[in-house]
Amino acid sequence: MVTTLCDAAVAVLTTAAPLEKVRLTRDYAAAWRDGLITEFGTLVPPERPARPERPPLMLPRDMPKRGRGGSAQNRLALLHALAHIELNAIDLAWDIVCRFVGEGMPKGFTDDWVQVADDEARHFQMLEERLNQLGSGYGELPAHDGLWQAATTTAHDLAARLAVVPMVLEARGLDVTPETVRRLREFGDAESAALLQVIHDEEITHVAAGRRWFGHLCAMRGVDPVETWQDLVKRYFRGGLKKPFNVTSRQAADFGPEFYEPIAE
C-alpha cells in the first residue's frame, strides 16, 4: 500500500518490468502533483534497483561496439542504448527523492525530481515505442551495467549525487545528442531524430534542476559551488570530462563553463 512518496519510490525501484516501472512512475508522479500523496515517509531505498531478465547486463568493456553508420542495426543499437539510459534515469530520480529525504531541502527539490522521474519514464516509453515500430524492443540487445555505479558511489552525499548525475552524466547527453540528431536526419530517420530532440530539450531542465539544487545545497553548507563541484567530480567521477561541450544548452541550464572547462581533458 503506497501512502508516502518514499513508499512510491521504493515500489518503483523494486519493480523489474520496464513498462510497469513506467506506469507506476507516471501514476505516482501524478498523485504527488495532485496532492493525493502528501507525506514524504522515511523508507530506505534498495542499494540496487530490480532489473528484468532481459537485456543481459555486461561490463562496459565487454559490450559489442556500436557502429556510427546509418544501417538499421546501428540505429536499433543506438535507440536501445538510449532506452537503457532512460530506464536507469527513472530509478536515479526516485532514488534521490527517497535517499536524501532527511537533508532539509525545500519541497521544490522533491517536486523537481518527481518531475524528472516522470519525464524519464515518458522518454523510455517513447524510445520503446520507436523500437517497436522498427521491429525490436527493449531487451532485444545487451546493455551495460555501469550506469548504476554513479548512484552507488554517491549514495552517502547529496552534493556528490547532484554533482555527478545531473551535472556530469545528464550534461554529457546535452553535448552528444545534437550530433546524433543530425546523423539520424542525414540517414533519413526523421522520426528518431525528432524523438531525440524532444529528449534533449527536456534534459536541459534536468541539468538545470541539478545545478539549481547543487547551488542551494552549497549555500546551505557555506561552500563555493564551483570549487566544490570540481572537487566532487574529481573524487567521484572516473570517466573524465570530455570536450567538446554544448555550451549553448549548458548555459540554458545555468551551467556555465567556469565549472567544467578548468578540469576538462
Side-chain angles (χ1 to χ4, degrees), residues 236-255:
Y236 297 112
F237 183 69
R238 295 182 179 179
L241 302 185
K242 304 285 195 306
K243 296 181 179 181
F245 300 111
N246 183 345
V247 176
T248 300
S249 292
R250 285 171 174 250
Q251 288 280 30
D254 194 30
F255 189 26

Side-chain angles (χ1 to χ4, degrees), residues 86 112-113 115-116 119-120 122-123 165-178 195-213 246-256:
E86 298 295 339
D112 278 351
W113 294 109
Q115 183 60 52
V116 169
D119 290 347
E120 308 293 18
R122 186 162 38 79
H123 295 169
V165 174
M167 297 177 71
V168 172
L169 298 179
E170 292 206 71
R172 181 62 179 161
L174 300 184
D175 299 335
V176 301
T177 300
L195 187 158
L196 264 60
Q197 187 64 54
V198 170
I199 292 174
H200 167 274
D201 294 347
E202 293 185 353
E203 296 286 352
I204 290 174
T205 68
H206 302 176
V207 177
R211 167 69 184 91
R212 178 167 58 255
W213 294 114
N246 183 345
V247 176
T248 300
S249 292
R250 285 171 174 250
Q251 288 280 30
D254 194 30
F255 189 26

Side-chain angles (χ1 to χ4, degrees), residues 153-154 156-157 159-164 167-168 214 218 221 223-241 255 258-264:
T153 57
T154 61
H156 65 291
D157 182 16
R161 175 66 63 85
L162 292 169
V164 171
M167 297 177 71
V168 172
F214 182 79
C218 287
R221 296 180 179 182
V223 296
D224 179 77
V226 173
E227 292 178 4
T228 302
W229 183 81
Q230 292 171 354
D231 178 61
L232 290 169
V233 170
K234 289 174 186 175
R235 275 195 280 166
Y236 297 112
F237 183 69
R238 295 182 179 179
L241 302 185
F255 189 26
E258 68 275 11
F259 280 86
Y260 49 85
E261 285 285 1
I263 60 172

